[in-house]
Amino acid sequence: MESEGVFILMFVVASAVAIVARRIDVPYTVALVVAGLVLGSLHAFEPPHLTKSFLFTICLPGLLFEAAFHTDFGEFWRNRLAIISLAVPGVVVAVGITAGILAPLIDQLQVAGGFTWRHAMVFGALLAATDPIAVVGLFKNLGAPKRLRMLIEGESLLNDGTSIVFFSIVLGLVVGGADLTVRRLTIDFVSAVGVGILVGGAGGLAVSELMKRIDDPMIEITLTTVAAYGTFVAAEHLHSSGVIATVTAGMLCGNYGARIGMSPSTRVAVETFWEYVAFALNSVVFLLIGFEVHPEAMLRSWQAIGVAYIAVVAARAAVIATASALLGLARERVPRTWSVVLAWGGLRGALSMVLALSLPATFPYRDLLITMTFGVVVLSLLLQGLTLAPLLRWLGIVRGAELRAEREFDRGRMQAADAAIQELDRIADTHYADGGVLDAVRGAYRSRIAAAEQHLQSLPLGREDMQREEQLWLERRLLVVEKDRVIEMLHRGLLRQHTYDRLVADIDARLLGLDSGLEHDTPEPADQDAPDAAPPGSAGKRDRSS
C-alpha cells in the first residue's frame, strides 16, 4: 500500500478507536496502543516506523507547542517550585535511582554479563520523561483539581527537554568513555537549556509582536506554526534543547501574543487549529507505539522488563515522596493523596521509545535496552493508564463527578433561560413584539427554569457539599478580585514594588491552598478552570480571550 493510503487508513483507525474509547470510558491514547498492538500482530498493514527524525521533525514540536500555548502561565508560575523540582533535579535523581536499582538486578538475573551502572544510567535517561496525554485527559473527564493537572502537565512540558538533554550528555560521556562528573553534567545541561530558552523567547516574542500588527486568522495560525517548528529547528541547530525552545515560544504566544495580538475570533481559530493538530499527532504517535512493539520479543525478555519496570516505578515514587516532603516546608505543599497519583501517573510514551531506537548500532546491550524500554512503556500505558481512574476515586480526589456534571447542566440551563428572560424584558421595553407573544415565550422559559430546579433538588448530592463548593468558588473569585486590585494599585503608583510583592505572595499562597484543597477538605468545582468563571454549574467554555 502507498504511504498516502497508509496514513489515511491510520486516521480511519484512530477515528474508530476514539469513538469506541469514548463509549467504554477508556483513555483514548491507551486504546490506540492496544489497537496498534492488535493490528501489528495481525500484520494488517505496514505503517511508517516511529523514528527519531519523524518524532522530532513532525510530532514533538506540534505537541509541545499546543500544550504550552494552552498553559496558564499564572498557574504555572504559582506552582513553579514543584514543577521545576520534579522536572530538573527530579529527573537527575530518578535516573540515578533507576540505575542504582537496575544494575544489580540485571546482574543477578544473568541476562547480560558485564551490564554496568553506566549502561543502567543510559536506560534511566531513556525513561526519565513522562507522557501526560492520557493522564491529563482522564483528569479533565473526572473533574480532578486543576492544580493537580497543572503539576502533571507542567512537569512533562519541562522534563521532555531536560531528559533529552541529560540523555544526550550521558550517552556522549558513556560512548566517549569520559568520566561522569557533576561539573561536566551541570555545565552541559545549563548551556543546552539556557540557549533553548533564549531561542524560544526570541522566536515567541518576535511572533507575538508580528501578530499585534496583523488581524488575519490564517496568517496568525501560520506564524504560530513558524514559532513552534522554527524555534525547535533553530535550537537543535545550535546544539541546544529544541524542546525547551518550543515550550518557551508556546507559553509566550499563548499568554502574551494571544492577549495583545489576537482578536477573539482569531484566537478561536488558532486554538481550534492547534487542538486538531494535537489530536492528529497523538493519534499517529500512540498508534505507532502499538505497531512498534513485538509481543513475542517482550515475552522472551519478561524478567528483564519486569525488573526494569520495578526500577522505574520505584525511582518515580522515591522522587515524588522526597519532593513532596521538601515542598511541605514551602508554600507549595502537595497533599499526600496527590503524591500517590503523581507517582502512579508518571506514564512513559513515544519519546522514550524513539530515544532507545536512536542508540548507536554498536552500543553495548542496545537490543536489551530497546526491549526493556518498549516493555516499560507498554506496561506503564496499560497497567497505570487503566488503573488511574479507580485510584482517583478510591483516594477520594474525584467524588461524584457524574452528579456534579448533572448539577452543572441544570444550573447552566437555568442561567441560560434567565438570560433569555432578561432579553425578553428588554424587547418588551422597546414595544417591538406583541405582549401576548412575549408572555407565552416568557412562560415557556420559566417552566424550563422550574423543571431544572426540580431536577436539581432531586440529585443525591448533599447540600453541605454543594455549599462548600460554592464557598470555594466565592473565595477563589474574591481572591482574584483582590489580586486585580493590587495590580491596578501598582500601575497607578499607589504601591511600592516591595509592598506589591508581599501582597501578591500572600494572595497566591491562599489561592494555592484553595486549589490544593488544603484549606477545605472538598474537591474543586468542576468549572473552576478560569478566574472569571461563572458560579459552579454555569455552562460555557472558558473564553481565553477575556
Side-chain angles (χ1 to χ4, degrees), residues 26-27 29-30 127 129-131 134-135 138-139 142 152 308-314 316-317 320 339-349 375-392:
V26 171
T29 51
V30 176
L127 273 298
T130 56
D131 192 322
V135 178
L138 183 67
F139 282 3
L142 294 176
I152 289 279
Y309 180 72
I310 291 171
V312 170
V313 172
R316 173 74 177 177
I320 295 297
S339 298
V340 176
V341 174
L342 288 170
W344 193 243
L347 279 62
R348 270 60 179 181
V376 170
V377 169
V378 172
L379 279 177
S380 73
L381 287 172
L382 298 183
L383 181 59
Q384 294 168 239
L386 292 175
T387 57
L388 200 55
L391 178 65
L392 287 166

mmCIF file of all heavy atoms in Angstrom, residues 26-27 29-30 127 129-131 134-135 138-139 142 152 308-314 316-317 320 339-349 375-392:
data_model
loop_
_atom_site.group_PDB
_atom_site.id
_atom_site.type_symbol
_atom_site.label_atom_id
_atom_site.label_comp_id
_atom_site.label_asym_id
_atom_site.label_seq_id
_atom_site.Cartn_x
_atom_site.Cartn_y
_atom_site.Cartn_z
ATOM 1 N N VAL A 26 -12.477 4.604 28.290
ATOM 2 C CA VAL A 26 -11.072 4.215 28.403
ATOM 3 C C VAL A 26 -10.230 5.346 27.836
ATOM 4 O O VAL A 26 -10.620 5.961 26.836
ATOM 5 C CB VAL A 26 -10.802 2.902 27.626
ATOM 6 C CG1 VAL A 26 -9.317 2.605 27.538
ATOM 7 C CG2 VAL A 26 -11.528 1.744 28.285
ATOM 8 N N PRO A 27 -9.083 5.671 28.453
ATOM 9 C CA PRO A 27 -8.229 6.724 27.879
ATOM 10 C C PRO A 27 -7.936 6.467 26.408
ATOM 11 O O PRO A 27 -7.527 5.363 26.020
ATOM 12 C CB PRO A 27 -6.959 6.664 28.738
ATOM 13 C CG PRO A 27 -7.426 6.130 30.049
ATOM 14 C CD PRO A 27 -8.533 5.160 29.718
ATOM 15 N N THR A 29 -5.600 7.414 24.330
ATOM 16 C CA THR A 29 -4.250 7.030 23.928
ATOM 17 C C THR A 29 -3.948 5.579 24.283
ATOM 18 O O THR A 29 -3.249 4.883 23.542
ATOM 19 C CB THR A 29 -3.217 7.958 24.586
ATOM 20 O OG1 THR A 29 -3.473 8.017 25.999
ATOM 21 C CG2 THR A 29 -3.306 9.360 24.019
ATOM 22 N N VAL A 30 -4.461 5.117 25.422
ATOM 23 C CA VAL A 30 -4.265 3.709 25.795
ATOM 24 C C VAL A 30 -4.972 2.804 24.795
ATOM 25 O O VAL A 30 -4.428 1.778 24.368
ATOM 26 C CB VAL A 30 -4.793 3.464 27.225
ATOM 27 C CG1 VAL A 30 -4.695 1.983 27.580
ATOM 28 C CG2 VAL A 30 -4.013 4.295 28.239
ATOM 29 N N LEU A 127 14.148 6.614 30.131
ATOM 30 C CA LEU A 127 12.811 6.552 30.727
ATOM 31 C C LEU A 127 12.517 7.731 31.638
ATOM 32 O O LEU A 127 11.543 7.703 32.395
ATOM 33 C CB LEU A 127 12.658 5.252 31.533
ATOM 34 C CG LEU A 127 12.190 3.997 30.796
ATOM 35 C CD1 LEU A 127 10.803 4.193 30.210
ATOM 36 C CD2 LEU A 127 13.146 3.540 29.745
ATOM 37 N N ALA A 129 11.590 10.872 30.913
ATOM 38 C CA ALA A 129 10.492 11.765 30.516
ATOM 39 C C ALA A 129 9.144 11.086 30.731
ATOM 40 O O ALA A 129 8.969 9.903 30.426
ATOM 41 C CB ALA A 129 10.643 12.168 29.053
ATOM 42 N N THR A 130 8.183 11.829 31.264
ATOM 43 C CA THR A 130 6.818 11.322 31.432
ATOM 44 C C THR A 130 5.931 11.847 30.304
ATOM 45 O O THR A 130 6.191 12.901 29.740
ATOM 46 C CB THR A 130 6.233 11.753 32.786
ATOM 47 O OG1 THR A 130 6.293 13.187 32.896
ATOM 48 C CG2 THR A 130 7.010 11.133 33.929
ATOM 49 N N ASP A 131 4.881 11.095 29.999
ATOM 50 C CA ASP A 131 3.940 11.474 28.946
ATOM 51 C C ASP A 131 2.576 11.684 29.591
ATOM 52 O O ASP A 131 1.944 10.727 30.038
ATOM 53 C CB ASP A 131 3.865 10.382 27.885
ATOM 54 C CG ASP A 131 3.140 10.850 26.633
ATOM 55 O OD1 ASP A 131 2.164 11.599 26.772
ATOM 56 O OD2 ASP A 131 3.560 10.471 25.526
ATOM 57 N N ALA A 134 -2.546 10.864 28.270
ATOM 58 C CA ALA A 134 -3.655 10.043 28.772
ATOM 59 C C ALA A 134 -4.092 10.503 30.152
ATOM 60 O O ALA A 134 -5.286 10.524 30.472
ATOM 61 C CB ALA A 134 -3.223 8.574 28.822
ATOM 62 N N VAL A 135 -3.124 10.899 30.991
ATOM 63 C CA VAL A 135 -3.433 11.276 32.370
ATOM 64 C C VAL A 135 -4.244 12.563 32.415
ATOM 65 O O VAL A 135 -5.271 12.643 33.106
ATOM 66 C CB VAL A 135 -2.128 11.427 33.182
ATOM 67 C CG1 VAL A 135 -2.426 11.880 34.612
ATOM 68 C CG2 VAL A 135 -1.355 10.121 33.191
ATOM 69 N N LEU A 138 -7.781 12.128 31.230
ATOM 70 C CA LEU A 138 -8.564 11.439 32.249
ATOM 71 C C LEU A 138 -8.935 12.383 33.384
ATOM 72 O O LEU A 138 -10.071 12.379 33.876
ATOM 73 C CB LEU A 138 -7.757 10.254 32.791
ATOM 74 C CG LEU A 138 -8.446 9.368 33.821
ATOM 75 C CD1 LEU A 138 -9.611 8.630 33.188
ATOM 76 C CD2 LEU A 138 -7.449 8.374 34.411
ATOM 77 N N PHE A 139 -7.984 13.205 33.806
ATOM 78 C CA PHE A 139 -8.254 14.170 34.881
ATOM 79 C C PHE A 139 -9.399 15.106 34.500
ATOM 80 O O PHE A 139 -10.267 15.416 35.317
ATOM 81 C CB PHE A 139 -6.998 14.990 35.180
ATOM 82 C CG PHE A 139 -5.972 14.256 36.007
ATOM 83 C CD1 PHE A 139 -6.172 12.946 36.381
ATOM 84 C CD2 PHE A 139 -4.795 14.880 36.376
ATOM 85 C CE1 PHE A 139 -5.220 12.259 37.139
ATOM 86 C CE2 PHE A 139 -3.846 14.213 37.141
ATOM 87 C CZ PHE A 139 -4.064 12.901 37.512
ATOM 88 N N LEU A 142 -12.793 13.353 34.665
ATOM 89 C CA LEU A 142 -13.237 13.017 36.008
ATOM 90 C C LEU A 142 -13.407 14.237 36.899
ATOM 91 O O LEU A 142 -13.921 14.125 38.010
ATOM 92 C CB LEU A 142 -12.240 12.049 36.668
ATOM 93 C CG LEU A 142 -12.125 10.660 36.034
ATOM 94 C CD1 LEU A 142 -11.047 9.853 36.726
ATOM 95 C CD2 LEU A 142 -13.454 9.930 36.104
ATOM 96 N N ILE A 152 1.079 17.754 36.730
ATOM 97 C CA ILE A 152 1.394 16.672 35.795
ATOM 98 C C ILE A 152 1.845 17.229 34.444
ATOM 99 O O ILE A 152 2.882 16.837 33.894
ATOM 100 C CB ILE A 152 0.164 15.764 35.605
ATOM 101 C CG1 ILE A 152 -0.109 14.936 36.866
ATOM 102 C CG2 ILE A 152 0.341 14.867 34.382
ATOM 103 C CD1 ILE A 152 0.737 13.706 37.010
ATOM 104 N N ALA A 308 13.108 -3.900 35.185
ATOM 105 C CA ALA A 308 13.246 -2.530 34.694
ATOM 106 C C ALA A 308 12.026 -1.699 35.080
ATOM 107 O O ALA A 308 12.156 -0.543 35.503
ATOM 108 C CB ALA A 308 13.420 -2.531 33.170
ATOM 109 N N TYR A 309 10.850 -2.286 34.961
ATOM 110 C CA TYR A 309 9.622 -1.575 35.331
ATOM 111 C C TYR A 309 9.611 -1.270 36.828
ATOM 112 O O TYR A 309 9.253 -0.164 37.246
ATOM 113 C CB TYR A 309 8.411 -2.420 34.953
ATOM 114 C CG TYR A 309 7.091 -1.777 35.291
ATOM 115 C CD1 TYR A 309 6.622 -0.688 34.570
ATOM 116 C CD2 TYR A 309 6.311 -2.253 36.339
ATOM 117 C CE1 TYR A 309 5.406 -0.090 34.887
ATOM 118 C CE2 TYR A 309 5.102 -1.673 36.663
ATOM 119 C CZ TYR A 309 4.657 -0.589 35.935
ATOM 120 O OH TYR A 309 3.460 0.001 36.249
ATOM 121 N N ILE A 310 10.020 -2.246 37.633
ATOM 122 C CA ILE A 310 10.084 -2.024 39.090
ATOM 123 C C ILE A 310 11.051 -0.892 39.413
ATOM 124 O O ILE A 310 10.773 -0.028 40.252
ATOM 125 C CB ILE A 310 10.510 -3.327 39.800
ATOM 126 C CG1 ILE A 310 9.386 -4.371 39.689
ATOM 127 C CG2 ILE A 310 10.853 -3.061 41.261
ATOM 128 C CD1 ILE A 310 9.785 -5.752 40.165
ATOM 129 N N ALA A 311 12.207 -0.884 38.742
ATOM 130 C CA ALA A 311 13.202 0.166 38.996
ATOM 131 C C ALA A 311 12.658 1.543 38.640
ATOM 132 O O ALA A 311 12.833 2.514 39.388
ATOM 133 C CB ALA A 311 14.475 -0.128 38.198
ATOM 134 N N VAL A 312 11.969 1.655 37.493
ATOM 135 C CA VAL A 312 11.440 2.947 37.050
ATOM 136 C C VAL A 312 10.341 3.439 37.993
ATOM 137 O O VAL A 312 10.325 4.611 38.392
ATOM 138 C CB VAL A 312 10.903 2.836 35.601
ATOM 139 C CG1 VAL A 312 10.131 4.088 35.207
ATOM 140 C CG2 VAL A 312 12.059 2.609 34.632
ATOM 141 N N VAL A 313 9.420 2.551 38.368
ATOM 142 C CA VAL A 313 8.321 2.949 39.265
ATOM 143 C C VAL A 313 8.852 3.308 40.641
ATOM 144 O O VAL A 313 8.409 4.281 41.270
ATOM 145 C CB VAL A 313 7.272 1.822 39.351
ATOM 146 C CG1 VAL A 313 6.226 2.143 40.417
ATOM 147 C CG2 VAL A 313 6.595 1.625 38.005
ATOM 148 N N ALA A 314 9.812 2.519 41.141
ATOM 149 C CA ALA A 314 10.383 2.803 42.463
ATOM 150 C C ALA A 314 11.114 4.145 42.454
ATOM 151 O O ALA A 314 11.019 4.922 43.426
ATOM 152 C CB ALA A 314 11.329 1.683 42.869
ATOM 153 N N ARG A 316 10.495 6.709 40.500
ATOM 154 C CA ARG A 316 9.463 7.757 40.433
ATOM 155 C C ARG A 316 8.833 7.993 41.801
ATOM 156 O O ARG A 316 8.653 9.133 42.229
ATOM 157 C CB ARG A 316 8.396 7.336 39.427
ATOM 158 C CG ARG A 316 7.164 8.236 39.359
ATOM 159 C CD ARG A 316 7.466 9.530 38.659
ATOM 160 N NE ARG A 316 6.277 10.371 38.536
ATOM 161 C CZ ARG A 316 6.270 11.581 38.016
ATOM 162 N NH1 ARG A 316 7.390 12.101 37.549
ATOM 163 N NH2 ARG A 316 5.163 12.283 37.940
ATOM 164 N N ALA A 317 8.517 6.912 42.514
ATOM 165 C CA ALA A 317 7.907 7.039 43.836
ATOM 166 C C ALA A 317 8.853 7.728 44.819
ATOM 167 O O ALA A 317 8.434 8.577 45.612
ATOM 168 C CB ALA A 317 7.509 5.663 44.356
ATOM 169 N N ILE A 320 8.987 11.534 43.956
ATOM 170 C CA ILE A 320 7.760 12.227 44.360
ATOM 171 C C ILE A 320 7.686 12.357 45.871
ATOM 172 O O ILE A 320 7.318 13.417 46.397
ATOM 173 C CB ILE A 320 6.524 11.482 43.825
ATOM 174 C CG1 ILE A 320 6.502 11.510 42.291
ATOM 175 C CG2 ILE A 320 5.249 12.085 44.388
ATOM 176 C CD1 ILE A 320 6.373 12.887 41.694
ATOM 177 N N SER A 339 0.341 12.974 45.982
ATOM 178 C CA SER A 339 1.664 12.375 45.777
ATOM 179 C C SER A 339 1.539 10.966 45.215
ATOM 180 O O SER A 339 2.316 10.554 44.344
ATOM 181 C CB SER A 339 2.435 12.343 47.103
ATOM 182 O OG SER A 339 2.643 13.645 47.599
ATOM 183 N N VAL A 340 0.546 10.226 45.705
ATOM 184 C CA VAL A 340 0.320 8.870 45.185
ATOM 185 C C VAL A 340 -0.049 8.932 43.707
ATOM 186 O O VAL A 340 0.466 8.161 42.886
ATOM 187 C CB VAL A 340 -0.792 8.168 45.995
ATOM 188 C CG1 VAL A 340 -1.102 6.799 45.393
ATOM 189 C CG2 VAL A 340 -0.384 8.027 47.455
ATOM 190 N N VAL A 341 -0.931 9.852 43.356
ATOM 191 C CA VAL A 341 -1.359 9.988 41.960
ATOM 192 C C VAL A 341 -0.198 10.448 41.080
ATOM 193 O O VAL A 341 -0.025 9.956 39.958
ATOM 194 C CB VAL A 341 -2.542 10.969 41.855
ATOM 195 C CG1 VAL A 341 -2.901 11.235 40.394
ATOM 196 C CG2 VAL A 341 -3.748 10.428 42.596
ATOM 197 N N LEU A 342 0.602 11.393 41.564
ATOM 198 C CA LEU A 342 1.755 11.861 40.790
ATOM 199 C C LEU A 342 2.748 10.725 40.535
ATOM 200 O O LEU A 342 3.341 10.630 39.453
ATOM 201 C CB LEU A 342 2.451 13.003 41.526
ATOM 202 C CG LEU A 342 1.723 14.352 41.547
ATOM 203 C CD1 LEU A 342 2.408 15.316 42.517
ATOM 204 C CD2 LEU A 342 1.689 14.962 40.149
ATOM 205 N N ALA A 343 2.923 9.857 41.542
ATOM 206 C CA ALA A 343 3.855 8.741 41.372
ATOM 207 C C ALA A 343 3.312 7.714 40.382
ATOM 208 O O ALA A 343 4.019 7.279 39.465
ATOM 209 C CB ALA A 343 4.123 8.081 42.723
ATOM 210 N N TRP A 344 2.044 7.345 40.539
ATOM 211 C CA TRP A 344 1.461 6.325 39.670
ATOM 212 C C TRP A 344 1.113 6.887 38.299
ATOM 213 O O TRP A 344 1.011 6.137 37.317
ATOM 214 C CB TRP A 344 0.226 5.742 40.335
ATOM 215 C CG TRP A 344 -0.299 4.490 39.705
ATOM 216 C CD1 TRP A 344 -1.509 4.299 39.116
ATOM 217 C CD2 TRP A 344 0.370 3.213 39.611
ATOM 218 N NE1 TRP A 344 -1.647 3.008 38.659
ATOM 219 C CE2 TRP A 344 -0.501 2.319 38.951
ATOM 220 C CE3 TRP A 344 1.626 2.756 40.016
ATOM 221 C CZ2 TRP A 344 -0.151 0.992 38.697
ATOM 222 C CZ3 TRP A 344 1.970 1.436 39.759
ATOM 223 C CH2 TRP A 344 1.086 0.577 39.110
ATOM 224 N N GLY A 345 0.930 8.194 38.200
ATOM 225 C CA GLY A 345 0.558 8.819 36.931
ATOM 226 C C GLY A 345 1.732 9.187 36.051
ATOM 227 O O GLY A 345 1.531 9.832 35.018
ATOM 228 N N GLY A 346 2.933 8.769 36.404
ATOM 229 C CA GLY A 346 4.111 9.072 35.597
ATOM 230 C C GLY A 346 4.271 8.092 34.444
ATOM 231 O O GLY A 346 5.239 7.315 34.396
ATOM 232 N N LEU A 347 3.331 8.114 33.502
ATOM 233 C CA LEU A 347 3.364 7.203 32.359
ATOM 234 C C LEU A 347 4.507 7.578 31.409
ATOM 235 O O LEU A 347 4.900 8.740 31.323
ATOM 236 C CB LEU A 347 2.037 7.238 31.601
ATOM 237 C CG LEU A 347 0.869 6.425 32.152
ATOM 238 C CD1 LEU A 347 0.459 6.890 33.539
ATOM 239 C CD2 LEU A 347 -0.328 6.500 31.217
ATOM 240 N N ARG A 348 5.001 6.576 30.699
ATOM 241 C CA ARG A 348 6.028 6.819 29.678
ATOM 242 C C ARG A 348 5.416 6.640 28.293
ATOM 243 O O ARG A 348 4.415 5.940 28.133
ATOM 244 C CB ARG A 348 7.199 5.843 29.849
ATOM 245 C CG ARG A 348 8.307 6.360 30.758
ATOM 246 C CD ARG A 348 7.859 6.649 32.154
ATOM 247 N NE ARG A 348 8.945 7.115 33.003
ATOM 248 C CZ ARG A 348 8.821 7.422 34.278
ATOM 249 N NH1 ARG A 348 7.636 7.348 34.870
ATOM 250 N NH2 ARG A 348 9.849 7.847 34.978
ATOM 251 N N GLY A 349 6.050 7.292 27.284
ATOM 252 C CA GLY A 349 5.451 7.280 25.963
ATOM 253 C C GLY A 349 6.452 7.163 24.832
ATOM 254 O O GLY A 349 7.529 6.571 24.972
ATOM 255 N N GLY A 375 9.030 -2.425 26.675
ATOM 256 C CA GLY A 375 8.226 -3.128 27.671
ATOM 257 C C GLY A 375 7.729 -2.223 28.775
ATOM 258 O O GLY A 375 6.556 -2.282 29.180
ATOM 259 N N VAL A 376 8.601 -1.350 29.280
ATOM 260 C CA VAL A 376 8.204 -0.427 30.353
ATOM 261 C C VAL A 376 7.151 0.560 29.851
ATOM 262 O O VAL A 376 6.184 0.869 30.556
ATOM 263 C CB VAL A 376 9.439 0.319 30.898
ATOM 264 C CG1 VAL A 376 9.013 1.447 31.844
ATOM 265 C CG2 VAL A 376 10.356 -0.650 31.634
ATOM 266 N N VAL A 377 7.317 1.050 28.617
ATOM 267 C CA VAL A 377 6.336 1.988 28.052
ATOM 268 C C VAL A 377 4.965 1.330 27.955
ATOM 269 O O VAL A 377 3.950 1.901 28.374
ATOM 270 C CB VAL A 377 6.799 2.487 26.669
ATOM 271 C CG1 VAL A 377 5.665 3.232 25.968
ATOM 272 C CG2 VAL A 377 8.007 3.401 26.803
ATOM 273 N N VAL A 378 4.912 0.117 27.418
ATOM 274 C CA VAL A 378 3.626 -0.575 27.265
ATOM 275 C C VAL A 378 3.010 -0.880 28.625
ATOM 276 O O VAL A 378 1.805 -0.684 28.842
ATOM 277 C CB VAL A 378 3.810 -1.865 26.436
ATOM 278 C CG1 VAL A 378 2.527 -2.689 26.444
ATOM 279 C CG2 VAL A 378 4.195 -1.522 25.013
ATOM 280 N N LEU A 379 3.815 -1.357 29.574
ATOM 281 C CA LEU A 379 3.291 -1.651 30.910
ATOM 282 C C LEU A 379 2.749 -0.402 31.580
ATOM 283 O O LEU A 379 1.680 -0.440 32.212
ATOM 284 C CB LEU A 379 4.391 -2.278 31.778
ATOM 285 C CG LEU A 379 4.662 -3.767 31.587
ATOM 286 C CD1 LEU A 379 5.823 -4.208 32.471
ATOM 287 C CD2 LEU A 379 3.418 -4.583 31.912
ATOM 288 N N SER A 380 3.473 0.711 31.446
ATOM 289 C CA SER A 380 3.014 1.936 32.103
ATOM 290 C C SER A 380 1.716 2.441 31.488
ATOM 291 O O SER A 380 0.795 2.854 32.202
ATOM 292 C CB SER A 380 4.092 3.021 32.046
ATOM 293 O OG SER A 380 4.218 3.541 30.740
ATOM 294 N N LEU A 381 1.616 2.376 30.147
ATOM 295 C CA LEU A 381 0.400 2.845 29.491
ATOM 296 C C LEU A 381 -0.796 1.970 29.818
ATOM 297 O O LEU A 381 -1.893 2.466 30.099
ATOM 298 C CB LEU A 381 0.613 2.903 27.982
ATOM 299 C CG LEU A 381 1.500 4.040 27.461
ATOM 300 C CD1 LEU A 381 1.787 3.850 25.974
ATOM 301 C CD2 LEU A 381 0.842 5.395 27.689
ATOM 302 N N LEU A 382 -0.608 0.649 29.785
ATOM 303 C CA LEU A 382 -1.726 -0.258 30.006
ATOM 304 C C LEU A 382 -2.045 -0.418 31.492
ATOM 305 O O LEU A 382 -3.197 -0.245 31.916
ATOM 306 C CB LEU A 382 -1.438 -1.625 29.380
ATOM 307 C CG LEU A 382 -1.234 -1.641 27.861
ATOM 308 C CD1 LEU A 382 -1.041 -3.066 27.364
ATOM 309 C CD2 LEU A 382 -2.414 -0.999 27.144
ATOM 310 N N LEU A 383 -1.038 -0.746 32.289
ATOM 311 C CA LEU A 383 -1.275 -1.017 33.709
ATOM 312 C C LEU A 383 -1.640 0.257 34.470
ATOM 313 O O LEU A 383 -2.685 0.332 35.134
ATOM 314 C CB LEU A 383 -0.038 -1.685 34.322
ATOM 315 C CG LEU A 383 -0.145 -2.065 35.811
ATOM 316 C CD1 LEU A 383 -1.302 -3.025 36.025
ATOM 317 C CD2 LEU A 383 1.157 -2.699 36.292
ATOM 318 N N GLN A 384 -0.797 1.269 34.364
ATOM 319 C CA GLN A 384 -1.061 2.504 35.107
ATOM 320 C C GLN A 384 -2.190 3.315 34.467
ATOM 321 O O GLN A 384 -3.015 3.892 35.165
ATOM 322 C CB GLN A 384 0.220 3.334 35.184
ATOM 323 C CG GLN A 384 1.318 2.676 36.022
ATOM 324 C CD GLN A 384 2.660 3.358 35.851
ATOM 325 O OE1 GLN A 384 3.632 2.735 35.441
ATOM 326 N NE2 GLN A 384 2.737 4.634 36.167
ATOM 327 N N GLY A 385 -2.224 3.347 33.127
ATOM 328 C CA GLY A 385 -3.251 4.134 32.455
ATOM 329 C C GLY A 385 -4.652 3.636 32.728
ATOM 330 O O GLY A 385 -5.588 4.430 32.871
ATOM 331 N N LEU A 386 -4.831 2.318 32.831
ATOM 332 C CA LEU A 386 -6.159 1.750 33.038
ATOM 333 C C LEU A 386 -6.580 1.724 34.502
ATOM 334 O O LEU A 386 -7.766 1.549 34.802
ATOM 335 C CB LEU A 386 -6.221 0.329 32.459
ATOM 336 C CG LEU A 386 -6.130 0.241 30.930
ATOM 337 C CD1 LEU A 386 -6.073 -1.213 30.489
ATOM 338 C CD2 LEU A 386 -7.303 0.950 30.267
ATOM 339 N N THR A 387 -5.631 1.862 35.426
ATOM 340 C CA THR A 387 -5.975 1.810 36.858
ATOM 341 C C THR A 387 -5.980 3.179 37.521
ATOM 342 O O THR A 387 -6.289 3.285 38.711
ATOM 343 C CB THR A 387 -4.971 0.907 37.609
ATOM 344 O OG1 THR A 387 -3.632 1.414 37.402
ATOM 345 C CG2 THR A 387 -5.050 -0.521 37.119
ATOM 346 N N LEU A 388 -5.661 4.231 36.767
ATOM 347 C CA LEU A 388 -5.571 5.555 37.371
ATOM 348 C C LEU A 388 -6.936 6.083 37.797
ATOM 349 O O LEU A 388 -7.070 6.690 38.864
ATOM 350 C CB LEU A 388 -4.903 6.525 36.394
ATOM 351 C CG LEU A 388 -4.314 7.801 36.998
ATOM 352 C CD1 LEU A 388 -3.327 7.477 38.105
ATOM 353 C CD2 LEU A 388 -3.630 8.621 35.919
ATOM 354 N N ALA A 389 -7.961 5.860 36.976
ATOM 355 C CA ALA A 389 -9.304 6.341 37.332
ATOM 356 C C ALA A 389 -9.818 5.693 38.612
ATOM 357 O O ALA A 389 -10.296 6.405 39.521
ATOM 358 C CB ALA A 389 -10.273 6.105 36.179
ATOM 359 N N PRO A 390 -9.744 4.343 38.756
ATOM 360 C CA PRO A 390 -10.142 3.757 40.040
ATOM 361 C C PRO A 390 -9.323 4.276 41.216
ATOM 362 O O PRO A 390 -9.855 4.439 42.321
ATOM 363 C CB PRO A 390 -9.907 2.249 39.822
ATOM 364 C CG PRO A 390 -9.982 2.056 38.349
ATOM 365 C CD PRO A 390 -9.430 3.310 37.751
ATOM 366 N N LEU A 391 -8.035 4.545 40.986
ATOM 367 C CA LEU A 391 -7.193 5.075 42.059
ATOM 368 C C LEU A 391 -7.673 6.458 42.502
ATOM 369 O O LEU A 391 -7.754 6.749 43.705
ATOM 370 C CB LEU A 391 -5.738 5.145 41.592
ATOM 371 C CG LEU A 391 -4.732 5.719 42.592
ATOM 372 C CD1 LEU A 391 -4.616 4.825 43.813
ATOM 373 C CD2 LEU A 391 -3.363 5.905 41.944
ATOM 374 N N LEU A 392 -8.000 7.318 41.544
ATOM 375 C CA LEU A 392 -8.503 8.655 41.875
ATOM 376 C C LEU A 392 -9.789 8.565 42.681
ATOM 377 O O LEU A 392 -9.994 9.327 43.646
ATOM 378 C CB LEU A 392 -8.738 9.454 40.596
ATOM 379 C CG LEU A 392 -7.502 9.955 39.853
ATOM 380 C CD1 LEU A 392 -7.878 10.412 38.454
ATOM 381 C CD2 LEU A 392 -6.851 11.103 40.613
#
